[in-house]
Amino acid sequence: MSILLTGGAGYIGSHTAVELLQLNKDVIILDNFSNSSPLVLDRIKEITGKSFKFYELDLLDKKNLEKVFIDNNVDSIIHFAGYKAVGESVDKPLDYYTNNIISTLNLLELMKKYNIKNFVFSSSATVYGNPDKCPINENSPLRATNPYGQTKLMIENILKDISKSDASLNIAILRYFNPVGAHKSGLIGEDPNGIPNNLLPYISQVAVGNLDKLKVFGDDYNTHDGTGVRDYIHVVDLAKGHIKSLDKLNTKCGLVIYNLGTGNGYSVLEMVDAFREASKREISYEIVKRRQGDIAICYADCTKANRELDWQAEYGIKDMCIDSWNWQVNNPKGYK
Ligand code: NAD
Ligand code: UFG
């Protein structure tokens, strides 16, 4: 029985592949490398000493996608693949709706045809939009504020509908908060294309000298130092949350939804300080105006995942910054 990881060459998928392989699970990775590098596959093998099947394939290519299901005995799917840049989704909404939604529909149709029961979906805290209060629990109101968030919300709704129509399906919707950090080996990590949109990759590229200075988007939020507060979670903790979710699905739980975060919020300036400490490098920054669409504070209530999955994030921001830096300094140009 195999676990299919769509988007398994990506940032979160590659870390999850490592954790699964280290547990001797039978892993199949599928990716079209639209936002990742083939080198990732060698790195996963180097870390784990394990082999796995790989398909270079676009999920939109349903005909060839079906071959994966014909050739393998797939038991569970973890669906990471998708486009994820908020700003880009505003400029190219059709690309986002097509890639994220049609890909998922193709997978779900084949899942039905080949009688696969277990499905884990990479959702995002973005489905909470600008939350009424923090910490945010899973019952908080859902609202999307950009096309990327809309795709996550639409897919969540599709999953809820198919779960209602077929009680034998087991589906975990995982709402990630802000994934950062890298594997301890420094062999895999986050490798954004071009100038990073997200805070930690930007800071680490300033530290390594690829970028001049960080632009801090606003210091006039209603937070303790005026800068935005987020719930940063180590990618290895996140990966382990997927393993626990698969265990949960094997109890035939139907549809379940979990926040995966740490429950702690840190400001932009706190992250800059933590990274300076970890890297022992100067991080120049300037305060600029707020980024459109940003919210002041976002952090998770993770008690449901603690209780029902027996999962809790173990790493704090010190480890997150040390591991991000270790990856960055060993791979100053990423996988290039
Ligand atoms: P990533 O871009 O590193 O990984 C996604 C992978 O999917 C890439 O390797 C890409 O090449 C592949 N892919 C995209 N479209 C594909 C297609 N049509 N067919 C085959 N492969 C395709 O992103 P990530 O950070 O690892 O995120 C994984 C998932 O988690 C995404 O769905 C993302 O929306 C979600 N998520 C990410 C974050 C974050 O901040 N990283 C936060 C919340 C949710
Ligand atoms: N920030 C800066 N300068 C930068 C980048 C970010 O000051 O160059 C600030 C932002 O204003 C925010 C914080 O750093 O206060 C975090 O910003 P990120 O872009 O790293 O993360 P977001 O919380 O804005 O969004 C991320 C993903 C979304 C996802 C969300 C919740 O980009 O796709 O986390 O998971 F939905």
Side-chain angles (χ1 to χ4, degrees), residues 199-238:
L199 180 66
L200 250 276
Y202 203 110
I203 294 179
S204 53
Q205 293 207 20
V206 171
V208 85
N210 289 345
L211 293 169
D212 189 29
K213 65 166 94 150
L214 171 73
K215 291 184 180 67
V216 175
F217 297 138
D219 66 349
D220 56 352
Y221 286 105
N222 187 16
T223 61
H224 59 279
D225 63 13
T227 65
V229 167
R230 296 290 185 277
D231 186 340
Y232 298 94
I233 173 169
H234 197 295
V235 66
V236 172
D237 276 330
L238 195 58

Side-chain angles (χ1 to χ4, degrees), residues 47-209:
I47 294 169
T48 62
K50 304 271 167 62
S51 59
F52 51 88
K53 255 193 180 176
F54 172 71
Y55 289 85
E56 182 172 351
L57 196 61
D58 193 320
L59 286 170
L60 297 175
D61 177 1
K62 197 172 172 192
K63 195 159 151 263
N64 282 312
L65 181 58
E66 182 157 8
K67 290 189 191 142
V68 177
F69 293 90
I70 294 170
D71 291 349
N72 299 281
N73 198 355
V74 176
D75 172 50
S76 305
I77 299 171
I78 311 183
H79 180 34
F80 295 105
Y83 293 157
K84 63 167 183 177
V86 172
E88 187 183 60
S89 81
V90 175
D91 294 336
K92 301 178 180 172
L94 275 181
D95 289 2
Y96 273 68
Y97 287 114
T98 304
N99 193 50
N100 293 4
I101 307 285
I102 308 289
S103 287
T104 307
L105 291 175
N106 285 346
L107 262 183
L108 293 173
E109 279 164 7
L110 290 168
M111 187 171 151
K112 185 170 180 186
K113 186 165 175 185
Y114 291 89
N115 204 28
I116 296 158
K117 300 296 181 190
N118 294 347
F119 191 82
V120 180
F121 174 58
S122 297
S123 189
S124 164
T126 196
V127 298
Y128 297 118
N130 192 354
D132 300 332
K133 59 178 169 51
C134 283
I136 307 169
N137 71 31
E138 289 81 353
N139 297 320
S140 302
L142 302 180
R143 44 177 95 98
T145 55
N146 54 69
Y148 165 69
Q150 292 284 8
T151 68
K152 293 294 176 195
L153 214 45
M154 285 176 187
I155 295 168
E156 286 204 6
N157 286 330
I158 292 167
L159 294 174
K160 287 172 190 169
D161 286 340
I162 64 162
S163 165
K164 278 183 210 144
S165 76
D166 181 352
S168 71
L169 293 176
N170 305 302
I171 297 171
I173 293 174
L174 304 181
R175 295 181 182 147
Y176 312 153
F177 280 67
N178 291 54
V180 298
H183 191 264
K184 287 270 173 231
S185 61
L187 287 169
I188 54 173
E190 189 170 12
D191 181 21
N193 265 330
I195 295 177
N197 296 308
N198 296 115
L199 180 66
L200 250 276
Y202 203 110
I203 294 179
S204 53
Q205 293 207 20
V206 171
V208 85

